[in-house]
Amino acid sequence: MRLRLPAERPKEPPTGYKIARLALSQDGARAGFTGVSLGAALPYGVLDEARCVYGRRHAAPHRRCDCGFHCVHEHATAQAFLCTAEHRGAALLRVTVLGAYIRFERGFRYARQRVRAVTVQPCRCGARASVLADAGWGRPGWRVVEGVCALCAGRRTSMRLAEFARLAGEGLTVTGVGPGSVPGSPSEAMGVPELVAEAALLQARLDVFQGELARLSEAE
């Protein structure tokens, strides 16, 4: 006799958290996501259904397979994944778990999801990311983008966070956070002191850039 797990029928779909890379379609008309582990080969949209990464015909999530979308219960658990070197360029996602799901101690494996909010991590220089620039790699038909400040974006193809949200659709919100801040906390919203500090930092970096440019001009 097989023992079946109890069926859950929540009044509201569960909420979960995960990390993913942000991506743009080759023609620049669509915005999506790629996973950071098993599902990295299958980009997905804001509202999407899971498919078996092994090409099997069963519906995800299957109990004898590890296919399906994955997320964790706690925001802090997902955020901790961003500390590793290979995940520094990823973003933090808040998702709604839809369809059939399997509950685990730390999270869910499930059939469908809606990405509700994306939090873009700070630029590698430490400034708040204001644009998404080409990361220099991708998947067939998709280019991965990462959060950078306007200065570090340079001449790379880039777009504003709001433009990515518009392309993704489904009411997605995309925000950037400064170093050391926690999404959803009061520090996420920049006030006058924070804006003044950001402006001073940009001005200092511009002075350095102008100095280097003047030195190169004199050398010629």
Side-chain angles (χ1 to χ4, degrees), residues 68-85:
F69 290 123
H70 295 72
C71 73
V72 295
H73 299 305
E74 302 295 333
H75 172 274
T77 304
Q79 192 173 33
F81 295 146
L82 297 171
C83 294
T84 62

Side-chain angles (χ1 to χ4, degrees), residues 51-52 54-62 64-65 67:
R51 304 181 298 280
C52 180
Y54 304 110
R56 297 167 184 167
R57 296 183 179 181
H58 58 237
H62 196 278
R64 296 184 179 180
C65 186
C67 59

